[in-house]
Amino acid sequence: LLGASEASLYPVIYSVLFLVGSHKERSRATSLIRHYLSIIISKIAYNALDDKKGVNITIIDISEISIIADYFIIAGGTNENQVKALAGNVEDEFERPVFSKTRRGYTNANWILIDYEDVIVHVFNEDDRLFYDLERIWRDGKIVNVEEL
């Protein structure tokens, strides 16, 4: 799978848009680049969660049913320390601020949300994951394996 070095291509790829001709062509190129980058981010985040033994890592493609993101990545941790370690490992993979992100929930570590615009990573403790059940809420999305990305 792809490493964090591919994520550093974002500024280079995005600057290529200025070489594309018409507004319609730039719009199409932007969509393709954003889609490709969301796949790269998803793979990197998945691997970071897997490296720290995330429980039941699930990728949901919500691109066809929502405009808030292309993918949700949901993972569980067995305790507060693991939940923080999982989220921290994802953030470490994107240590250079190439992508804007928002992070919520780190203090209590019940549900940490990391928003990379087109990819949103959710890291839960076991009880809160069962309670909020995002897989059920977003069941109209398509669950995909990381190999399918």
PDB file of all heavy atoms in Angstrom, residues 34 38 60-73 115-122 138:
ATOM      1  N   ARG A  34      -8.976  14.938  -6.096  1.00  0.00           N
ATOM      2  CA  ARG A  34      -9.535  14.797  -4.744  1.00  0.00           C
ATOM      3  C   ARG A  34      -9.909  13.352  -4.450  1.00  0.00           C
ATOM      4  O   ARG A  34      -9.674  12.853  -3.351  1.00  0.00           O
ATOM      5  CB  ARG A  34     -10.738  15.713  -4.560  1.00  0.00           C
ATOM      6  CG  ARG A  34     -10.386  17.180  -4.447  1.00  0.00           C
ATOM      7  CD  ARG A  34     -11.618  18.008  -4.194  1.00  0.00           C
ATOM      8  NE  ARG A  34     -12.141  17.735  -2.866  1.00  0.00           N
ATOM      9  CZ  ARG A  34     -11.954  18.524  -1.814  1.00  0.00           C
ATOM     10  NH1 ARG A  34     -11.252  19.616  -1.943  1.00  0.00           N
ATOM     11  NH2 ARG A  34     -12.476  18.220  -0.652  1.00  0.00           N
ATOM     12  N   SER A  38      -8.194  11.051  -1.574  1.00  0.00           N
ATOM     13  CA  SER A  38      -8.977  10.433  -0.498  1.00  0.00           C
ATOM     14  C   SER A  38      -8.658   8.938  -0.385  1.00  0.00           C
ATOM     15  O   SER A  38      -8.640   8.377   0.707  1.00  0.00           O
ATOM     16  CB  SER A  38     -10.473  10.679  -0.670  1.00  0.00           C
ATOM     17  OG  SER A  38     -10.982  10.011  -1.795  1.00  0.00           O
ATOM     18  N   ILE A  60     -15.922   2.789   5.165  1.00  0.00           N
ATOM     19  CA  ILE A  60     -17.225   2.954   4.522  1.00  0.00           C
ATOM     20  C   ILE A  60     -17.112   4.035   3.461  1.00  0.00           C
ATOM     21  O   ILE A  60     -16.729   5.173   3.754  1.00  0.00           O
ATOM     22  CB  ILE A  60     -18.321   3.340   5.539  1.00  0.00           C
ATOM     23  CG1 ILE A  60     -18.405   2.314   6.675  1.00  0.00           C
ATOM     24  CG2 ILE A  60     -19.677   3.468   4.831  1.00  0.00           C
ATOM     25  CD1 ILE A  60     -19.377   2.713   7.773  1.00  0.00           C
ATOM     26  N   ASP A  61     -17.440   3.684   2.234  1.00  0.00           N
ATOM     27  CA  ASP A  61     -17.468   4.644   1.131  1.00  0.00           C
ATOM     28  C   ASP A  61     -18.831   5.333   1.177  1.00  0.00           C
ATOM     29  O   ASP A  61     -19.865   4.718   0.930  1.00  0.00           O
ATOM     30  CB  ASP A  61     -17.282   3.911  -0.194  1.00  0.00           C
ATOM     31  CG  ASP A  61     -17.310   4.832  -1.404  1.00  0.00           C
ATOM     32  OD1 ASP A  61     -17.730   6.004  -1.283  1.00  0.00           O
ATOM     33  OD2 ASP A  61     -16.906   4.371  -2.487  1.00  0.00           O
ATOM     34  N   ILE A  62     -18.816   6.612   1.535  1.00  0.00           N
ATOM     35  CA  ILE A  62     -20.070   7.377   1.615  1.00  0.00           C
ATOM     36  C   ILE A  62     -20.164   8.414   0.505  1.00  0.00           C
ATOM     37  O   ILE A  62     -21.036   9.282   0.531  1.00  0.00           O
ATOM     38  CB  ILE A  62     -20.234   8.036   3.001  1.00  0.00           C
ATOM     39  CG1 ILE A  62     -19.119   9.027   3.290  1.00  0.00           C
ATOM     40  CG2 ILE A  62     -20.344   6.978   4.091  1.00  0.00           C
ATOM     41  CD1 ILE A  62     -19.367   9.917   4.499  1.00  0.00           C
ATOM     42  N   SER A  63     -19.280   8.313  -0.488  1.00  0.00           N
ATOM     43  CA  SER A  63     -19.212   9.332  -1.547  1.00  0.00           C
ATOM     44  C   SER A  63     -20.491   9.436  -2.367  1.00  0.00           C
ATOM     45  O   SER A  63     -20.801  10.506  -2.890  1.00  0.00           O
ATOM     46  CB  SER A  63     -18.026   9.060  -2.473  1.00  0.00           C
ATOM     47  OG  SER A  63     -18.171   7.811  -3.123  1.00  0.00           O
ATOM     48  N   GLU A  64     -21.235   8.353  -2.470  1.00  0.00           N
ATOM     49  CA  GLU A  64     -22.463   8.364  -3.269  1.00  0.00           C
ATOM     50  C   GLU A  64     -23.691   8.816  -2.477  1.00  0.00           C
ATOM     51  O   GLU A  64     -24.740   9.068  -3.070  1.00  0.00           O
ATOM     52  CB  GLU A  64     -22.721   6.966  -3.848  1.00  0.00           C
ATOM     53  CG  GLU A  64     -21.626   6.465  -4.767  1.00  0.00           C
ATOM     54  CD  GLU A  64     -21.497   7.303  -6.027  1.00  0.00           C
ATOM     55  OE1 GLU A  64     -22.538   7.705  -6.587  1.00  0.00           O
ATOM     56  OE2 GLU A  64     -20.347   7.548  -6.442  1.00  0.00           O
ATOM     57  N   ILE A  65     -23.562   8.903  -1.145  1.00  0.00           N
ATOM     58  CA  ILE A  65     -24.736   9.221  -0.331  1.00  0.00           C
ATOM     59  C   ILE A  65     -24.590  10.488   0.499  1.00  0.00           C
ATOM     60  O   ILE A  65     -25.539  10.906   1.146  1.00  0.00           O
ATOM     61  CB  ILE A  65     -25.105   8.037   0.598  1.00  0.00           C
ATOM     62  CG1 ILE A  65     -23.976   7.726   1.576  1.00  0.00           C
ATOM     63  CG2 ILE A  65     -25.482   6.818  -0.219  1.00  0.00           C
ATOM     64  CD1 ILE A  65     -24.368   6.770   2.675  1.00  0.00           C
ATOM     65  N   SER A  66     -23.394  11.092   0.486  1.00  0.00           N
ATOM     66  CA  SER A  66     -23.181  12.273   1.313  1.00  0.00           C
ATOM     67  C   SER A  66     -22.116  13.174   0.695  1.00  0.00           C
ATOM     68  O   SER A  66     -21.225  12.697  -0.013  1.00  0.00           O
ATOM     69  CB  SER A  66     -22.727  11.857   2.719  1.00  0.00           C
ATOM     70  OG  SER A  66     -22.465  12.992   3.498  1.00  0.00           O
ATOM     71  N   ILE A  67     -22.223  14.448   0.985  1.00  0.00           N
ATOM     72  CA  ILE A  67     -21.207  15.384   0.516  1.00  0.00           C
ATOM     73  C   ILE A  67     -20.189  15.724   1.602  1.00  0.00           C
ATOM     74  O   ILE A  67     -19.244  16.452   1.348  1.00  0.00           O
ATOM     75  CB  ILE A  67     -21.849  16.685  -0.017  1.00  0.00           C
ATOM     76  CG1 ILE A  67     -22.625  17.395   1.080  1.00  0.00           C
ATOM     77  CG2 ILE A  67     -22.691  16.409  -1.235  1.00  0.00           C
ATOM     78  CD1 ILE A  67     -23.096  18.794   0.717  1.00  0.00           C
ATOM     79  N   ILE A  68     -20.353  15.175   2.808  1.00  0.00           N
ATOM     80  CA  ILE A  68     -19.439  15.547   3.890  1.00  0.00           C
ATOM     81  C   ILE A  68     -18.068  14.894   3.766  1.00  0.00           C
ATOM     82  O   ILE A  68     -17.091  15.420   4.283  1.00  0.00           O
ATOM     83  CB  ILE A  68     -20.032  15.271   5.290  1.00  0.00           C
ATOM     84  CG1 ILE A  68     -20.266  13.785   5.521  1.00  0.00           C
ATOM     85  CG2 ILE A  68     -21.284  16.061   5.525  1.00  0.00           C
ATOM     86  CD1 ILE A  68     -20.615  13.449   6.947  1.00  0.00           C
ATOM     87  N   ALA A  69     -17.974  13.757   3.097  1.00  0.00           N
ATOM     88  CA  ALA A  69     -16.694  13.062   2.930  1.00  0.00           C
ATOM     89  C   ALA A  69     -16.864  11.962   1.894  1.00  0.00           C
ATOM     90  O   ALA A  69     -17.983  11.634   1.497  1.00  0.00           O
ATOM     91  CB  ALA A  69     -16.237  12.463   4.259  1.00  0.00           C
ATOM     92  N   ASP A  70     -15.725  11.397   1.481  1.00  0.00           N
ATOM     93  CA  ASP A  70     -15.756  10.225   0.604  1.00  0.00           C
ATOM     94  C   ASP A  70     -15.740   8.936   1.419  1.00  0.00           C
ATOM     95  O   ASP A  70     -16.393   7.964   1.064  1.00  0.00           O
ATOM     96  CB  ASP A  70     -14.556  10.227  -0.343  1.00  0.00           C
ATOM     97  CG  ASP A  70     -14.666  11.282  -1.428  1.00  0.00           C
ATOM     98  OD1 ASP A  70     -15.781  11.756  -1.697  1.00  0.00           O
ATOM     99  OD2 ASP A  70     -13.622  11.623  -2.018  1.00  0.00           O
ATOM    100  N   TYR A  71     -14.951   8.949   2.494  1.00  0.00           N
ATOM    101  CA  TYR A  71     -14.785   7.738   3.292  1.00  0.00           C
ATOM    102  C   TYR A  71     -14.841   8.030   4.781  1.00  0.00           C
ATOM    103  O   TYR A  71     -14.336   9.056   5.242  1.00  0.00           O
ATOM    104  CB  TYR A  71     -13.426   7.064   3.005  1.00  0.00           C
ATOM    105  CG  TYR A  71     -13.278   6.593   1.586  1.00  0.00           C
ATOM    106  CD1 TYR A  71     -12.586   7.353   0.644  1.00  0.00           C
ATOM    107  CD2 TYR A  71     -13.835   5.387   1.178  1.00  0.00           C
ATOM    108  CE1 TYR A  71     -12.454   6.925  -0.671  1.00  0.00           C
ATOM    109  CE2 TYR A  71     -13.708   4.951  -0.135  1.00  0.00           C
ATOM    110  CZ  TYR A  71     -13.020   5.733  -1.055  1.00  0.00           C
ATOM    111  OH  TYR A  71     -12.904   5.298  -2.350  1.00  0.00           O
ATOM    112  N   PHE A  72     -15.441   7.117   5.509  1.00  0.00           N
ATOM    113  CA  PHE A  72     -15.323   7.034   6.965  1.00  0.00           C
ATOM    114  C   PHE A  72     -14.433   5.836   7.245  1.00  0.00           C
ATOM    115  O   PHE A  72     -14.627   4.765   6.655  1.00  0.00           O
ATOM    116  CB  PHE A  72     -16.666   6.765   7.636  1.00  0.00           C
ATOM    117  CG  PHE A  72     -17.519   7.970   7.896  1.00  0.00           C
ATOM    118  CD1 PHE A  72     -18.770   7.804   8.453  1.00  0.00           C
ATOM    119  CD2 PHE A  72     -17.102   9.262   7.625  1.00  0.00           C
ATOM    120  CE1 PHE A  72     -19.592   8.888   8.720  1.00  0.00           C
ATOM    121  CE2 PHE A  72     -17.907  10.348   7.885  1.00  0.00           C
ATOM    122  CZ  PHE A  72     -19.160  10.172   8.431  1.00  0.00           C
ATOM    123  N   ILE A  73     -13.496   6.016   8.141  1.00  0.00           N
ATOM    124  CA  ILE A  73     -12.710   4.889   8.632  1.00  0.00           C
ATOM    125  C   ILE A  73     -13.004   4.799  10.115  1.00  0.00           C
ATOM    126  O   ILE A  73     -12.815   5.760  10.857  1.00  0.00           O
ATOM    127  CB  ILE A  73     -11.208   5.082   8.369  1.00  0.00           C
ATOM    128  CG1 ILE A  73     -10.976   5.266   6.871  1.00  0.00           C
ATOM    129  CG2 ILE A  73     -10.421   3.888   8.909  1.00  0.00           C
ATOM    130  CD1 ILE A  73      -9.566   5.580   6.503  1.00  0.00           C
ATOM    131  N   ASP A 115     -10.619  14.680  11.138  1.00  0.00           N
ATOM    132  CA  ASP A 115     -11.246  15.053   9.875  1.00  0.00           C
ATOM    133  C   ASP A 115     -10.184  15.523   8.889  1.00  0.00           C
ATOM    134  O   ASP A 115      -9.559  16.564   9.093  1.00  0.00           O
ATOM    135  CB  ASP A 115     -12.279  16.156  10.129  1.00  0.00           C
ATOM    136  CG  ASP A 115     -13.061  16.540   8.895  1.00  0.00           C
ATOM    137  OD1 ASP A 115     -12.684  16.131   7.781  1.00  0.00           O
ATOM    138  OD2 ASP A 115     -14.056  17.261   9.042  1.00  0.00           O
ATOM    139  N   TYR A 116      -9.969  14.741   7.844  1.00  0.00           N
ATOM    140  CA  TYR A 116      -9.065  15.106   6.757  1.00  0.00           C
ATOM    141  C   TYR A 116      -9.879  15.501   5.519  1.00  0.00           C
ATOM    142  O   TYR A 116      -9.555  15.097   4.415  1.00  0.00           O
ATOM    143  CB  TYR A 116      -8.117  13.952   6.430  1.00  0.00           C
ATOM    144  CG  TYR A 116      -7.103  13.678   7.513  1.00  0.00           C
ATOM    145  CD1 TYR A 116      -7.257  12.606   8.378  1.00  0.00           C
ATOM    146  CD2 TYR A 116      -6.001  14.500   7.679  1.00  0.00           C
ATOM    147  CE1 TYR A 116      -6.331  12.357   9.371  1.00  0.00           C
ATOM    148  CE2 TYR A 116      -5.074  14.255   8.678  1.00  0.00           C
ATOM    149  CZ  TYR A 116      -5.243  13.179   9.517  1.00  0.00           C
ATOM    150  OH  TYR A 116      -4.327  12.939  10.503  1.00  0.00           O
ATOM    151  N   GLU A 117     -10.932  16.237   5.721  1.00  0.00           N
ATOM    152  CA  GLU A 117     -11.849  16.733   4.696  1.00  0.00           C
ATOM    153  C   GLU A 117     -12.602  15.614   3.987  1.00  0.00           C
ATOM    154  O   GLU A 117     -13.747  15.374   4.288  1.00  0.00           O
ATOM    155  CB  GLU A 117     -11.136  17.650   3.707  1.00  0.00           C
ATOM    156  CG  GLU A 117     -10.662  18.946   4.344  1.00  0.00           C
ATOM    157  CD  GLU A 117     -10.026  19.891   3.359  1.00  0.00           C
ATOM    158  OE1 GLU A 117     -10.110  19.655   2.137  1.00  0.00           O
ATOM    159  OE2 GLU A 117      -9.433  20.869   3.819  1.00  0.00           O
ATOM    160  N   ASP A 118     -11.974  14.904   3.063  1.00  0.00           N
ATOM    161  CA  ASP A 118     -12.680  13.856   2.323  1.00  0.00           C
ATOM    162  C   ASP A 118     -12.606  12.493   2.988  1.00  0.00           C
ATOM    163  O   ASP A 118     -13.223  11.530   2.527  1.00  0.00           O
ATOM    164  CB  ASP A 118     -12.149  13.762   0.889  1.00  0.00           C
ATOM    165  CG  ASP A 118     -12.515  14.987   0.073  1.00  0.00           C
ATOM    166  OD1 ASP A 118     -13.585  15.568   0.335  1.00  0.00           O
ATOM    167  OD2 ASP A 118     -11.737  15.380  -0.815  1.00  0.00           O
ATOM    168  N   VAL A 119     -11.839  12.403   4.064  1.00  0.00           N
ATOM    169  CA  VAL A 119     -11.724  11.171   4.848  1.00  0.00           C
ATOM    170  C   VAL A 119     -11.868  11.551   6.317  1.00  0.00           C
ATOM    171  O   VAL A 119     -11.169  12.442   6.805  1.00  0.00           O
ATOM    172  CB  VAL A 119     -10.366  10.473   4.623  1.00  0.00           C
ATOM    173  CG1 VAL A 119     -10.240   9.242   5.509  1.00  0.00           C
ATOM    174  CG2 VAL A 119     -10.177  10.111   3.158  1.00  0.00           C
ATOM    175  N   ILE A 120     -12.781  10.883   7.000  1.00  0.00           N
ATOM    176  CA  ILE A 120     -12.975  11.136   8.427  1.00  0.00           C
ATOM    177  C   ILE A 120     -12.679   9.847   9.182  1.00  0.00           C
ATOM    178  O   ILE A 120     -13.270   8.807   8.905  1.00  0.00           O
ATOM    179  CB  ILE A 120     -14.394  11.636   8.726  1.00  0.00           C
ATOM    180  CG1 ILE A 120     -14.666  12.933   7.947  1.00  0.00           C
ATOM    181  CG2 ILE A 120     -14.579  11.858  10.231  1.00  0.00           C
ATOM    182  CD1 ILE A 120     -16.081  13.452   8.054  1.00  0.00           C
ATOM    183  N   VAL A 121     -11.733   9.934  10.111  1.00  0.00           N
ATOM    184  CA  VAL A 121     -11.317   8.787  10.901  1.00  0.00           C
ATOM    185  C   VAL A 121     -11.996   8.862  12.260  1.00  0.00           C
ATOM    186  O   VAL A 121     -11.929   9.889  12.941  1.00  0.00           O
ATOM    187  CB  VAL A 121      -9.782   8.761  11.075  1.00  0.00           C
ATOM    188  CG1 VAL A 121      -9.352   7.573  11.928  1.00  0.00           C
ATOM    189  CG2 VAL A 121      -9.084   8.750   9.717  1.00  0.00           C
ATOM    190  N   HIS A 122     -12.657   7.782  12.646  1.00  0.00           N
ATOM    191  CA  HIS A 122     -13.331   7.675  13.942  1.00  0.00           C
ATOM    192  C   HIS A 122     -12.645   6.570  14.732  1.00  0.00           C
ATOM    193  O   HIS A 122     -12.578   5.432  14.258  1.00  0.00           O
ATOM    194  CB  HIS A 122     -14.804   7.287  13.772  1.00  0.00           C
ATOM    195  CG  HIS A 122     -15.595   8.223  12.936  1.00  0.00           C
ATOM    196  ND1 HIS A 122     -16.263   9.295  13.468  1.00  0.00           N
ATOM    197  CD2 HIS A 122     -15.836   8.243  11.589  1.00  0.00           C
ATOM    198  CE1 HIS A 122     -16.885   9.934  12.489  1.00  0.00           C
ATOM    199  NE2 HIS A 122     -16.646   9.317  11.356  1.00  0.00           N
ATOM    200  N   TRP A 138     -24.701   4.603   8.824  1.00  0.00           N
ATOM    201  CA  TRP A 138     -24.243   4.836   7.458  1.00  0.00           C
ATOM    202  C   TRP A 138     -24.343   3.560   6.617  1.00  0.00           C
ATOM    203  O   TRP A 138     -23.576   3.355   5.680  1.00  0.00           O
ATOM    204  CB  TRP A 138     -22.805   5.359   7.482  1.00  0.00           C
ATOM    205  CG  TRP A 138     -22.751   6.746   8.029  1.00  0.00           C
ATOM    206  CD1 TRP A 138     -22.518   7.108   9.319  1.00  0.00           C
ATOM    207  CD2 TRP A 138     -22.989   7.947   7.311  1.00  0.00           C
ATOM    208  NE1 TRP A 138     -22.579   8.475   9.435  1.00  0.00           N
ATOM    209  CE2 TRP A 138     -22.868   9.017   8.218  1.00  0.00           C
ATOM    210  CE3 TRP A 138     -23.287   8.233   5.978  1.00  0.00           C
ATOM    211  CZ2 TRP A 138     -23.034  10.334   7.836  1.00  0.00           C
ATOM    212  CZ3 TRP A 138     -23.446   9.547   5.596  1.00  0.00           C
ATOM    213  CH2 TRP A 138     -23.321  10.588   6.523  1.00  0.00           C
TER     214      TRP A 138
END
